[in-house]
Amino acid sequence: MAEDTSLRDFILGYCQQVGGLVEPPAYGVYDVLLPDEVAAHWGIGSLQRFNFDPALTTPLPLDDGRESVSSPSARKEGGAMPVTTLYYGHPLVETIVFELRQRPANTRLFINPPRLEKPGLRELVEKTFTFSNARPEAGHIQRNRLYHYTCFNFKVSLVSDEKREMVVSIWMHLQGGYSLPPAGIQSRASLESNHAYPELMASPPAWRAGAESGENPFTPEVLTDLLDRARVALLDEIAPTLESARKRSQHFLELDRARLENYYAGLQRDLEIRLSKAEDERQPALKSKLSALHDERQSKLADAEHKYRLRLDVELINLAIIAQPKIEIDVEIKKRGLRIVRPAAWDPVRHILEPLVCDVCGRPGEGMTLCESGHLAHSACLAPQCTDCKRAFCKLCSEKVHTCVVCDTPVCVQSLMVCKTCGRETCQKHRDLCHAADGQPQRITVPPPAPAEQAAPLPAKTEIPKAEDNEYPKKPGKTKTPAVRKPARPYLVRLPKAVTAQRIQVEIEVERAEVRAFALSKEREIAVRIWELTGNGINATCTCEKGWRCDANGRIVRPADAEHIEAQLMRLIRALANEYSVPEKKISFLRMATGHFIENRSLILGSAWKNPATLAAAQASFDRRSSPPAETDQE
Amino acid sequence: MSSLPLPQFSDLELRLLPPDNPLFRPDAPAAFASPDLYRLRLQAEHAVLVGGFDELICLDTLGFAPFDYQVRAAQIMLRRFRGRGMFCDEVGLGKTIEAGLVLKEYRLRNVAQRVLILTPAALVEQWREELAVKFGLEDFISSADPEFRTLGAAAWERFPRVIASLAAARRAEHRAQISQIPYDLIIVDEAHHLKNRASITWKFVNELQRKYILLLTATPVENDLDELYNLITLLKPGQLKTPREFRRRFVERGDPRLPKNRGQLRDLLGDVMVRHSRAQVNLRLPPRQAHTIRLTLSPDETEFYEAVSAVVREGFVSASGPSPAGEGDSPPADEAEAGAKVRQTDRFALLTLQREIGSSPAAAAPTLQSMAGREGNPARRTHLWSLAEQAAQISTWTKAEALEKLLTTLFKADPGEKALLFTHFRRTLDLLAERLHALGISFVVYHGGMSAAAKNQAIADFQSSAQVLLSTEAAGEGRNLQFCRTMINFDVPWNPMRIEQRVGRIHRIGQDREVRIYNLSARGTVEDYLLEILDQKLNMFELVIGEMDMILGHLSDERDFEDLLMEVWVSSQGQAGLKAGFDRLGETLLQARQSYRQVKEYDDALFGQDFSAE
């Protein structure tokens, strides 16, 4: 049996911690000189000889008849000082473990990068941070600030009919308020006990309102809130283990339940047969037995549930605060009518610009949206987009998005029409329909919205006469005339000549039937147009300076066959390029595969676009909805 | 402590323990430890982590080393049976140890807090001792404890870990209370008392709320297979289906003892039962030889013995008589209860006195003085005082002289021989110590009043140099005394289980020499009659360890064996009457042994030598 090195390091390390001296080993035996008070407290002598390999010792009788244990070499030297073999469970080991567990022993560590500078940080910020409806502008002033990670060490106990425990460490970014895997940090930097940058101010935790630079970020309030976030991250981390334990408990519970149900059902059956055959005077007793049987069944089932009920205990053991200087720069995030400022940090250890954080879920993200209230949010953290003005609100501001009583589409408070007669709320399009059906709202069904990650497409517009070419076919007219028709409005809205773009970037996701095209000017998004293949056809949504006037927004196009679908999409992309006066050679294609974008020379759609059955169904649906049959865009 | 359910795990209870950490307290100074101490702290936590039942964490905390098969049995119970099963090892193989391992494991893992152990009355204290000494579980209280009895029925709720006699627990005034308590673990020793589904005892255990339940019995089947069914149903209702289906599938028509479909039955039993046989675990012990040295007391001693015995008989009769209120009157309930307590106390004192005079006159003197002090009748008081004085004046001590001769003979034959000398009474022990000292025999004393360090030293000295370990019943609990092979019972306990426990100190695994047991017995005493029954009739000293317990368990009389002995002694008149009375008791024991052997044969045939859940 070999020496238990982890136990050795543990015991000798603690002996040194309490002021003891440890001599290098001789023949596997360590001489340890402990302070008198420590030795007295542990009930042993000050001078000890420890061994961690049971195979090294043999019993040896001493002169006074007692047994001692000494190494063969010690016997050779004539020494008879007893050697204590330590192992897990030895009383001294238990004493040390108990003593250590009486205090948390939090610590501070430091990462001291050799260089605190990053040339071109402004340009990097503006290139890296992208938003679906805003653009970043980096500030000119860079600051060196102290950032912190907090490593929370939890003891997690999973208890049901048995108990399992584990220690799980969760690293939290103090200023960002999110959890992150430590591997990327620990593999690149050493954690030191000395602080090389004591003069730097601490950056405040951005997720807490009112926090300012220079204040101590480790107040109990901050740590308590961060601990709550760490617990959530912990649960995410151990979710597979929890699920596995839950399934196990559920499995055994089901087995027990099935056994008990079968058993008591059988007993009940037997009793009922006896009851049916019993004489009158025996009936009450048998009925009473039936009732008692029911009670017993419930009691046994409750026992089984009690036995397999899962309980998770989470206890904080201790924590380590790791400080690291980073280069901080303010980022102004702007869109029409709105501007916010967020600090961004360049990490000189990981060589990354740390992501900004979603104000809704607290997790970092890219390509977020700036909501009308100045919150940054993932697309999944957004409230439904207003169908009238296309304003985006996050879930924190979801009270600002109401629902049209006629078409059930989302409408923001700024676009909302409130009827003075009935007080109901509608979108602008249906403002006269709130009480059109005998005082009740006229119900109009619109096509189901797109998946949550995309902005909800508008319902297909009603047919409007237009003067110029029919590149965008009209939505098929309705077979039934609505009770109230709105007057036609002009179709064409000429784009202001000043709005042009420098290039069109087209992004294709292989696994989804979706193509996104961005009209960019100086790398800022002018317009975003998305085509998605749905059951009704190719739905187009557009976010541009035209706002609700954009004709492309909400259009549904009849999809071509699989062999022509790419050409059809290409025509739509060229149309967008024409709108913004972008030459065709400035159209670039990026294809997303296995999590990365790959540049292509031409449009290559994924298989989701070319499924014949899907296309045929979409065509059929489009045809059904259009009367007379609508023109396609095929030449 | 907050407790929040997780939405995605609606059946999971989440407890977030508040951080006991100064960084989270506004008033505490934020002190940081060194990185090394931080890492050591984490290592310490890793050291106490509890994993699955693949590895038992209790083994390092025990005061003894269990056998491999016992550890395996506990693991099977924990892992495969998930805490609901039956230990059915043959007698003497350590079912209590196996149950104790399971209990300790659950306690260390904090999975079982509320525990109830139900045993025959005679074993309650034995369980408490074993749990404390061998398993370090000292927080169990027995239902006979004065602190428990004072609280009445409320004690069951108040104390989370209780050892109680099955007979006491099932009484109506306790049963209702106990049934309301959700226990984590229930252990029932001698579970063959639960063989009848229609009995109050079975119904009582069945209605108890529990997560885990262990049944212990060497003979799960005694008369017919329905008994097996009833035991299994307590563990896992439905494991053997309904009674009708069980009989149809597994019992031969017309013979309730004869099984069919044995293979299927064994498979089902393998989910709830662990059974080891002696042959299976290869438990071989050297033989043991018992020698009874019968002495004739001196005239003084005989006169003293008979005089005190007469006092005991007279006292027993009056202690068993009507209440102090007089015949024909019904005393108030509290007076009757107080009267019953007094009579119980008197009976206990008289029984102790009768045992003391069998040990030594000097041992009886303090009891006689104490009784004299309490005696209200002047004549009796005077008589008791005179007997106490008489005890001090007896010059001869026949038993001690016989002991001297025995020890001299033993050490002359082998100077290296060691002897474990038992006596129940401290006064006798002190006198024997003087005698041994005067003889120049090296000895050490051992009794329950010594500190742990003193006890350790005594054992060490006995092993190294002393020839005699002079001890009360406390000797060797949890200790290895197999280096000694000779045991002398200076006085013989009236409970045969106690005798067996004494023998078990040296006749156990690790003993490689034939064990010799010497019993000193004076003619005409209770102990003499007892030894004749146990040694001559039952060959008790040649029985397998644990079989005596089984035989006593087959007595139809549920009273303690000591009470049975006392009844014969007190009620019999003259030598002939005594002989006849003790002969009848001996016949009863023989019948019990026969009954036990029949059951054992039946169980061996049913389960075979190779039944194992491993």
Side-chain angles (χ1 to χ4, degrees):
Chain A
M1 188 184 291
E3 183 182 57
D4 189 335
T5 53
S6 69
L7 178 63
R8 177 201 67 194
D9 295 341
F10 174 63
I11 297 295
L12 297 180
Y14 191 63
C15 288
Q16 288 177 315
Q17 274 293 312
V18 297
L21 295 173
V22 178
E23 284 287 308
Y27 305 104
V29 175
Y30 298 81
D31 286 343
V32 177
L33 180 61
L34 294 164
D36 289 339
E37 59 276 12
V38 172
H41 182 63
W42 290 352
I44 58 177
S46 295
L47 183 60
Q48 292 291 320
R49 308 190 85 186
F50 291 146
N51 160 55
F52 301 92
D53 181 0
L56 216 59
T57 59
T58 51
L60 178 68
L62 294 177
D63 292 337
D64 60 359
R66 284 177 299 166
E67 264 191 18
S68 83
V69 172
S70 74
S71 65
S73 57
R75 277 187 289 162
K76 278 185 200 169
E77 294 168 19
M81 183 173 174
V83 174
T84 306
T85 300
L86 294 181
Y87 48 87
Y88 284 109
H90 188 280
L92 180 59
V93 174
E94 297 289 309
T95 301
I96 290 174
V97 167
F98 176 80
E99 205 167 281
L100 267 169
R101 293 182 74 218
Q102 298 310 300
R103 49 184 160 170
N106 306 311
T107 195
R108 272 192 304 200
L109 296 162
F110 303 93
I111 298 173
N112 299 312
R115 287 176 57 201
L116 266 186
E117 55 187 29
K118 175 62 182 170
L121 181 58
R122 288 193 68 232
E123 292 73 19
L124 182 65
V125 165
E126 292 179 0
K127 187 178 168 188
T128 304
F129 290 138
T130 57
F131 304 92
S132 65
N133 63 347
R135 57 186 174 80
E137 190 173 312
H140 292 277
I141 299 174
Q142 300 177 15
R143 310 174 287 272
N144 292 340
R145 286 279 185 269
L146 214 52
Y147 275 64
H148 300 85
Y149 306 110
T150 308
C151 174
F152 290 97
N153 297 305
F154 293 103
K155 177 169 160 183
V156 177
S157 305
L158 200 58
V159 184
S160 64
D161 62 312
E162 60 174 21
K163 184 179 186 183
R164 285 183 187 269
E165 294 178 333
M166 52 192 142
V167 172
V168 181
S169 298
I170 299 292
W171 280 54
M172 297 297 290
H173 191 292
L174 181 85
Q175 278 74 21
Y178 56 87
S179 68
L180 71 167
I185 303 165
Q186 289 176 317
S187 64
R188 292 165 191 263
S190 59
L191 302 178
E192 299 168 14
S193 48
N194 296 320
H195 192 12
Y197 298 90
E199 72 284 359
L200 293 184
M201 271 203 307
S203 185
W207 46 282
R208 287 179 64 86
E212 295 193 8
S213 291
E215 288 182 349
N216 174 24
F218 301 114
T219 61
E221 294 78 22
V222 171
L223 283 176
T224 301
D225 288 347
L226 195 64
L227 175 63
D228 286 342
R229 291 181 174 221
R231 283 170 175 156
V232 173
L234 169 71
L235 295 174
D236 285 342
E237 173 88 9
I238 63 173
T241 306
L242 283 180
E243 180 61 24
S244 167
R246 193 184 68 83
K247 280 182 179 164
R248 175 190 173 278
S249 286
Q250 198 65 25
H251 169 68
F252 286 126
L253 178 59
E254 288 306 319
L255 286 177
D256 277 7
R257 268 205 198 117
R259 171 173 51 80
L260 289 168
E261 293 287 4
N262 281 341
Y263 172 66
Y264 284 102
L267 288 181
Q268 183 174 339
R269 211 168 29 243
D270 290 346
L271 258 182
E272 284 167 350
I273 291 171
R274 285 171 62 192
L275 188 64
S276 66
K277 295 177 181 172
E279 293 160 1
D280 288 344
E281 58 266 22
R282 289 220 57 211
Q283 298 256 344
L286 287 172
K287 282 179 184 168
S288 169
K289 274 192 180 175
L290 261 178
S291 170
L293 190 71
H294 172 78
D295 293 341
E296 189 181 305
R297 176 194 215 143
Q298 296 307 113
S299 171
K300 298 298 181 193
L301 286 172
D303 277 351
E305 285 173 14
H306 179 220
K307 181 178 174 187
Y308 291 111
R309 181 167 177 81
L310 261 182
R311 189 182 84 219
L312 181 70
D313 291 345
V314 176
E315 182 187 352
L316 178 67
I317 304 169
N318 61 3
L319 57 93
I321 297 173
I322 301 109
Q324 180 198 328
K326 297 180 184 175
I327 305 169
E328 191 176 86
I329 186 170
D330 284 336
V331 180
E332 199 174 70
I333 303 163
K334 296 195 281 198
K335 69 169 196 166
R336 188 181 58 236
L338 185 59
R339 154 188 181 278
I340 64 168
V341 178
R342 291 289 165 87
W346 165 257
D347 184 343
V349 170
R350 291 184 289 164
H351 298 285
I352 60 165
L353 198 58
E354 291 189 339
L356 299 175
V357 174
C358 171
D359 290 324
V360 177
C361 65
R363 290 187 166 94
E366 295 175 355
M368 290 190 283
T369 300
L370 180 63
C371 101
E372 292 299 316
S373 303
H375 300 128
L376 278 180
H378 294 115
S379 52
C381 298
L382 291 173
Q385 189 183 33
C386 176
T387 51
D388 278 350
C389 64
K390 302 293 178 284
R391 283 188 174 92
F393 291 88
C394 70
K395 286 182 179 171
L396 293 175
C397 312
S398 57
E399 76 279 3
K400 295 183 181 174
V401 180
H402 296 216
T403 307
C404 173
V405 298
V406 174
C407 60
D408 281 337
T409 55
V411 187
C412 75
V413 292
Q414 285 157 323
S415 302
L416 200 63
M417 306 298 293
V418 181
C419 177
K420 290 177 183 164
T421 306
C422 64
R424 292 192 182 97
E425 297 172 340
T426 63
C427 59
Q428 294 190 359
K429 185 174 170 185
H430 298 133
R431 60 176 174 265
D432 296 329
L433 302 182
C434 50
H435 52 264
D438 293 330
Q440 295 300 314
Q442 181 172 334
R443 303 296 296 171
I444 295 175
T445 306
V446 299
E453 287 76 19
Q454 306 302 322
L458 287 179
K461 294 185 175 177
T462 53
E463 188 174 339
I464 299 169
K466 63 180 178 74
E468 297 196 7
D469 66 305
N470 57 350
E471 181 68 16
Y472 295 99
K474 303 169 200 31
K475 181 184 178 302
K478 292 190 183 350
T479 53
K480 292 185 181 173
T481 307
V484 174
R485 289 184 68 86
K486 292 171 58 179
R489 55 188 174 88
Y491 167 67
L492 275 182
V493 175
R494 294 190 186 280
L495 293 172
K497 287 184 181 173
V499 181
T500 58
Q502 288 173 330
R503 68 185 188 93
I504 301 288
Q505 179 170 299
V506 180
E507 293 176 358
I508 307 112
E509 289 207 28
V510 171
E511 282 132 21
R512 295 170 57 188
E514 185 181 282
V515 173
R516 291 191 295 270
F518 300 87
L520 302 167
S521 174
K522 295 180 185 174
E523 298 308 306
R524 284 177 291 140
E525 292 165 11
I526 303 295
V528 181
R529 194 162 295 175
I530 302 171
W531 296 278
E532 186 188 2
L533 180 63
T534 68
N536 297 325
I538 300 177
N539 278 13
T541 56
C542 186
T543 307
C544 63
E545 78 289 352
K546 297 183 281 296
W548 56 271
R549 292 188 180 84
C550 176
D551 288 328
N553 192 22
R555 289 276 172 179
I556 299 180
V557 174
R558 187 179 190 278
D561 300 327
E563 56 201 29
H564 297 115
I565 191 82
E566 275 171 353
Q568 181 184 21
L569 262 294
M570 203 55 226
R571 282 195 293 277
L572 295 171
I573 293 167
R574 285 196 200 102
L576 173 66
N578 285 339
E579 283 180 38
Y580 291 94
S581 306
V582 174
E584 189 162 335
K585 65 180 179 184
K586 289 289 189 179
I587 301 176
S588 60
F589 302 94
L590 292 176
R591 199 154 173 267
M592 163 79 93
T594 63
H596 300 285
F597 275 116
I598 303 167
E599 208 159 330
N600 287 140
R601 288 191 177 178
S602 60
L603 177 68
I604 304 173
L605 294 175
S607 58
W609 281 96
K610 297 178 182 176
N611 185 311
T614 308
L615 288 171
Q619 289 165 356
S621 174
F622 183 91
D623 293 340
R624 274 196 304 276
R625 291 163 70 86
S626 63
S627 173
E631 299 170 52
T632 68
D633 68 332
Q634 282 187 333
E635 292 165 2
Chain B
M1 183 185 304
S2 64
S3 178
L4 302 168
L6 274 176
Q8 65 269 37
F9 295 105
S10 57
D11 52 348
L12 175 71
E13 182 187 336
L14 175 63
R15 298 201 308 188
L16 304 170
L17 298 156
D20 182 16
N21 193 304
L23 287 179
F24 292 84
R25 295 198 293 268
D27 53 338
F32 290 99
S34 67
D36 288 335
L37 192 60
Y38 161 81
R39 289 188 195 99
L40 286 170
R41 174 64 182 88
L42 282 179
Q43 270 186 285
E45 203 62 42
H46 275 281
V48 297
L49 282 183
V50 165
F53 287 126
D54 305 343
E55 195 178 328
L56 300 189
I57 61 175
C58 70
L59 297 179
D60 290 332
T61 68
L62 301 178
F64 70 105
F67 293 119
D68 286 347
Y69 73 88
Q70 291 171 333
V71 173
R72 283 199 305 274
Q75 282 182 315
I76 289 171
M77 186 62 68
L78 291 162
R79 291 171 63 189
R80 279 185 53 189
F81 300 169
R82 292 186 297 286
R84 284 180 167 244
M86 200 154 60
F87 288 118
C88 297
D89 293 349
E90 284 188 2
V91 292
L93 293 188
K95 291 182 290 297
T96 310
I97 299 294
E98 291 166 356
L101 289 173
V102 173
L103 166 60
K104 185 73 190 262
E105 199 65 22
Y106 278 144
R107 288 293 315 279
L108 285 178
R109 289 164 186 260
N110 213 18
V111 174
Q113 294 304 315
R114 196 169 271 282
V115 181
L116 176 64
I117 300 177
L118 298 170
T119 85
L123 296 180
V124 170
E125 276 310 307
Q126 188 178 322
W127 263 92
R128 187 151 82 150
E129 278 174 29
E130 283 219 29
L131 289 180
V133 171
K134 288 186 176 160
F135 296 94
L137 295 171
E138 297 178 345
D139 54 354
F140 277 81
I141 189 168
S142 96
S143 56
D145 197 288
E147 193 184 349
F148 191 95
R149 291 161 72 97
T150 307
L151 288 174
W156 299 100
E157 176 71 39
R158 163 75 176 79
F159 295 103
R161 288 169 281 280
V162 178
I163 308 172
S165 79
L166 194 47
R170 72 172 186 224
R171 287 208 298 264
E173 64 266 32
H174 297 306
R175 179 176 173 174
Q177 180 72 20
I178 298 172
S179 302
Q180 300 300 316
I181 301 171
Y183 285 100
D184 295 315
L185 172 62
I186 292 178
I187 301 176
V188 183
D189 196 5
E190 306 298 345
H192 44 268
H193 294 298
L194 305 174
K195 59 189 179 186
N196 183 358
R197 199 163 66 244
S199 69
I200 293 175
T201 312
W202 191 94
K203 289 177 182 172
F204 163 65
V205 174
N206 187 46
E207 72 189 23
L208 295 177
Q209 300 175 56
R210 66 268 185 170
K211 278 168 70 175
Y212 314 113
I213 177 168
L214 308 179
L215 303 182
L216 278 58
T217 174
T219 52
V221 188
E222 296 194 341
N223 298 305
D224 62 59
L225 287 166
D226 260 1
E227 295 167 356
L228 181 65
Y229 175 87
N230 295 334
L231 286 176
I232 304 297
T233 299
L234 281 175
L235 300 169
K236 278 183 156 184
Q239 178 70 8
L240 300 178
K241 306 288 186 242
T242 63
R244 182 195 295 265
E245 285 170 5
F246 173 73
R247 276 185 228 111
R248 188 172 53 81
R249 284 179 71 191
F250 298 115
V251 184
E252 285 290 355
R253 208 176 169 80
D255 188 348
R257 291 168 57 94
L258 205 57
K260 63 178 182 182
N261 293 322
R262 295 174 74 115
Q264 289 178 26
L265 181 59
R266 283 166 64 97
D267 286 342
L268 289 173
L269 293 178
D271 287 340
V272 288
M273 199 166 112
V274 180
R275 178 176 168 91
H276 294 106
S277 64
R278 307 185 84 78
Q280 210 178 350
V281 302
N282 210 19
L283 197 71
R284 291 206 179 91
L285 289 173
R288 57 191 194 191
Q289 287 270 335
H291 309 272
T292 298
I293 301 172
R294 291 188 82 203
L295 322 162
T296 302
L297 295 174
S298 69
D300 287 346
E301 288 172 321
T302 304
E303 183 192 342
F304 176 75
Y305 190 90
E306 287 174 357
V308 175
S309 296
V311 167
V312 170
R313 284 196 179 91
E314 190 187 325
F316 237 75
V317 169
S318 63
S320 306
S323 68
E327 292 185 14
D329 290 336
S330 299
D334 54 350
E335 277 191 26
E337 188 180 330
K341 282 185 181 169
V342 167
R343 290 195 292 281
Q344 188 66 21
T345 307
D346 287 344
R347 286 167 64 95
F348 181 73
L350 290 168
L351 194 146
T352 303
L353 181 61
Q354 187 67 53
R355 292 179 56 197
E356 283 168 340
I357 59 175
S359 177
S360 66
T367 306
L368 287 165
Q369 289 162 0
S370 169
M371 286 173 66
R374 293 196 311 269
E375 180 56 58
N377 183 304
R380 279 205 284 265
R381 192 188 319 129
T382 305
H383 183 51
L384 288 169
W385 278 120
S386 74
L387 284 174
E389 284 170 14
Q390 192 179 344
Q393 286 160 8
I394 294 174
S395 56
T396 53
W397 194 8
T398 306
K399 278 180 101 172
E401 287 163 11
L403 173 67
E404 288 170 20
K405 280 184 195 163
L406 173 62
L407 288 175
T408 306
T409 306
L410 285 174
F411 296 141
K412 194 173 172 185
D414 182 357
E417 186 71 58
K418 292 182 187 293
L420 177 56
L421 175 58
F422 275 109
T423 175
H424 188 81
F425 301 101
R426 277 294 300 277
R427 185 76 184 114
T428 306
L429 183 142
D430 293 337
L431 290 172
L432 285 175
E434 288 174 15
R435 285 271 184 158
L436 292 176
H437 183 72
L439 278 176
I441 294 176
S442 64
F443 70 95
V444 285
V445 296
Y446 192 107
H447 54 78
M450 291 164 63
S451 68
K455 285 180 179 176
N456 288 342
Q457 191 61 50
I459 300 296
D461 289 344
F462 179 45
Q463 184 168 9
S464 59
S465 58
Q467 289 172 296
V468 174
L469 179 67
L470 174 56
S471 173
T472 61
E473 306 296 343
E477 280 166 357
R479 303 203 181 258
N480 296 333
L481 294 178
Q482 295 93 311
F483 55 85
C484 171
R485 61 147 175 185
T486 301
M487 190 182 92
I488 303 171
N489 288 315
F490 188 81
D491 42 56
V492 176
W494 286 18
N495 187 338
M497 288 303 303
R498 282 279 181 202
I499 301 174
E500 200 165 78
Q501 282 166 14
R502 287 182 179 183
V503 174
R505 303 281 191 256
I506 58 174
H507 190 234
R508 59 201 295 167
I509 293 293
Q511 178 63 260
D512 51 12
R513 299 179 292 171
E514 182 184 275
V515 167
R516 300 182 301 193
I517 303 161
Y518 296 94
N519 302 310
L520 298 182
S521 148
R523 288 187 175 84
T525 61
V526 175
E527 291 78 15
D528 188 42
Y529 287 106
L530 174 63
L531 275 173
E532 191 177 337
I533 294 172
L534 297 180
D535 193 11
Q536 303 297 320
K537 280 200 156 77
L538 280 179
N539 287 326
M540 173 197 158
F541 295 99
E542 290 168 16
L543 289 177
V544 165
I545 293 173
E547 282 196 329
M548 194 64 224
D549 180 23
M550 299 305 298
I551 292 168
L552 292 177
H554 276 258
L555 284 178
S556 55
D557 199 318
E558 286 191 357
R559 286 179 293 167
D560 282 349
F561 189 76
E562 292 182 0
D563 290 337
L564 292 176
L565 266 188
M566 196 63 177
E567 184 183 301
V568 172
W569 179 255
V570 164
S571 61
S572 302
Q573 300 293 333
Q575 293 266 348
L578 281 171
K579 188 165 185 340
F582 280 109
D583 280 347
R584 278 195 297 276
L585 181 59
E587 284 304 314
T588 306
L589 282 175
L590 281 174
Q591 284 168 13
R593 183 177 70 176
Q594 183 62 19
S595 169
Y596 160 67
R597 282 187 174 164
Q598 285 171 352
V599 168
K600 186 174 181 312
E601 280 169 18
Y602 178 47
D603 277 21
D604 285 345
L606 185 62
F607 299 113
Q609 291 297 318
D610 62 345
F611 182 94
S612 172
E614 298 184 46

